[in-house]
Amino acid sequence: MNPGARKLSTGDELTFLAHAISMSSLHGPGPWPPHAMDLPDEPPRQDDGKPYMPSVVMDGVRTHHFGFAPDLGIVQEVADLLQERAPYERLHDRLAEARALEFCDDLVRELARRELSRRQVHEAGRWLAEHGTRREAVKIGIVLVGASGDERDRELLLLLGALEELTLYAVVALRRTQPAQEGDRAVFELARRVTAWGRIHAVERLEGSDDPEVKAWLLREGFRNGVMDEYLAPLAATTGDLYSALLDPEPDEALVDGAGGILTALIRGEGGPTTGISAYGEAVPALARYADLVAARQATLQRLDHLLTIRRHLREPPEHWLPGDVAALRRRFADVLRQPRWAEAALAGVADPEGADFSRAQRCASELGLPILPQVVARLRTDPGDGFAWHGLARLAEPEALAALAEELLPLDDLANGPGDRLIGDGHEQALERVVTELEPHPGLGLPLIRAALRNRGVRVRRCAMRALRAWPEPPEEAVAWVRAAHAVEPDGELRDDMHGFLDQG
């Protein structure tokens, strides 16, 4: 690699390549820790609680769910800059202002139409990839390398592609620059270096692979990602040949757990971002085989969670499944879940209030109808900001007990920290919103909680306080006074109108 690639020649800004080299030196080939995705050109983030969508997420969502109009104007502009051999710094700065996703394919076609030499395109691409300090410019650099390079570009593409922001472009470039079989292996290697949208983009390019190592990895690990396993579960089930793998007389534990993850992701995927279990032709025999395998294996929380998800789905299975098959599956899964060891696994999971799997264990225990009120209370005394535990407590405890515990554990004075326009609060704010929402059907309870919620910085928290007060047949005068004071300083127009209507009805 060019030793000058660490700095853009016109300044001292950190290049993406230097950042990737640093992460590789510290953490190996990948996956890298989350802070590695704080890229050199990352803008400062405002801690205002408003939804934040990184550009890598925007690219992923747009490629999977939305179309977009190509930017043909910049195609011509960039092609002109390349054709006239403009300084690379000028090209870089122009590309930094663009959106690579909107014109990269059209740019490649335009360069081919103009018959620019591969060497000229490759030199520009390598320079942008090695010297770029802005993500969109680096993306186009990778695109140009993909359009003009060869197997010698493999390591550069793998290194930059380990940054999730760049994986999509690196994957396409690897498939274009590497010999056929080596291209699949390079994409496979990159897929194992990333975990979120990068994993999705890479694994999708492995569809139809007949490589036994790739197929085995897809079934055990490759479908998992930090976005939604539903995106990759259909591909893993088909390309990985899930049912055939489960017919192994002694499948390994990772395969059994991977099968459970794939089958439940297919179930959750019904009507979601990809095809669900109704489109998987071998779903019925695969489910039956999974039940047989789990029945004879160790009872773990993960497997219990999978079994319960499947049981729920069997209540309303796909219409084209044969009634006899559905009835047999229902009986089989009911028999497996009747084993006492599953309830024991759920209770063991809620025994430690600080356990990392407490929420999953709570969910499983609740679905099994197990009495876990003391364990949930213990969890909340350990972590009062656990909104899921508050939701569970509302199903287990009397409303009076719910309100009393929340008033005891939540820092109400600290939560009266607004008003503001924050949408997403911290754990305690989310817990307050959850509890006040749960108390809405029980007017007369939780007045201190409602007061804190009315004065919270979160718009949603204040809205739930108003809904709760509207449920009271006769709100106390002190609560009306709180609303009047809140109305005077409320920054959200819609909520201010709601408060005004409440006071008018007063």
Side-chain angles (χ1 to χ4, degrees), residues 73 88 91 102 104 114 127 137 252 268 284 333 335 343 392 413:
Y88 291 150
L91 177 64
E102 296 176 357
C104 56
R114 297 190 185 196
W127 192 95
D252 56 85
R268 295 192 303 269
V284 170
F333 278 89
D335 288 343
D413 290 341

Side-chain angles (χ1 to χ4, degrees), residues 267-285:
I267 287 171
R268 295 192 303 269
E270 285 289 289
T274 60
T275 58
I277 199 161
S278 61
Y280 175 41
E282 296 179 314
V284 170

Side-chain angles (χ1 to χ4, degrees), residues 358-380:
F358 186 93
S359 293
R360 172 181 274 180
Q362 175 191 332
R363 182 172 64 249
C364 291
S366 297
E367 190 160 345
L368 290 173
L370 302 176
I372 57 169
L373 176 59
Q375 293 94 323
V376 174
V377 172
R379 169 68 169 188
L380 288 169

Side-chain angles (χ1 to χ4, degrees), residues 221-235:
E221 181 61 30
F223 71 94
R224 305 185 195 277
N225 63 85
V227 183
M228 292 174 65
D229 290 353
E230 291 89 318
Y231 279 107
L232 297 178
L235 184 152

Side-chain angles (χ1 to χ4, degrees), residues 296-348:
R297 306 274 173 142
Q298 179 184 2
T300 66
L301 271 178
Q302 181 185 57
R303 290 170 181 170
L304 174 57
D305 198 6
H306 292 162
L307 287 169
L308 291 171
T309 300
I310 294 168
R311 184 178 72 172
R312 285 195 304 273
H313 176 71
L314 291 174
R315 295 169 187 159
E316 296 184 15
E319 294 181 357
H320 64 274
W321 287 8
L322 297 177
D325 291 340
V326 173
L329 285 174
R330 286 172 177 165
R331 287 193 300 270
R332 186 66 183 115
F333 278 89
D335 288 343
V336 174
L337 284 166
R338 207 171 285 122
Q339 299 171 352
R341 62 202 186 97
W342 298 108
E344 293 168 2
L347 291 174

Side-chain angles (χ1 to χ4, degrees), residues 199-220:
R199 169 71 62 88
I200 293 171
H201 292 310
V203 169
E204 286 175 341
R205 271 69 184 181
L206 295 173
E207 184 172 10
S209 173
D210 59 2
D211 185 321
E213 187 179 357
V214 171
K215 291 159 70 85
W217 178 76
L218 287 173
L219 295 178
R220 292 162 177 80

Side-chain angles (χ1 to χ4, degrees), residues 390-432:
W390 284 112
H391 177 71
L393 185 65
R395 303 293 178 267
L396 297 168
E398 294 298 322
E400 294 81 3
L402 172 67
L405 190 65
E407 291 169 16
E408 174 192 349
L409 296 182
L410 293 179
L412 298 185
D413 290 341
D414 294 340
L415 288 169
N417 54 12
D421 59 358
R422 191 180 182 91
L423 294 179
I424 303 173
D426 61 21
H428 286 131
E429 290 168 341
Q430 294 178 34
L432 177 63

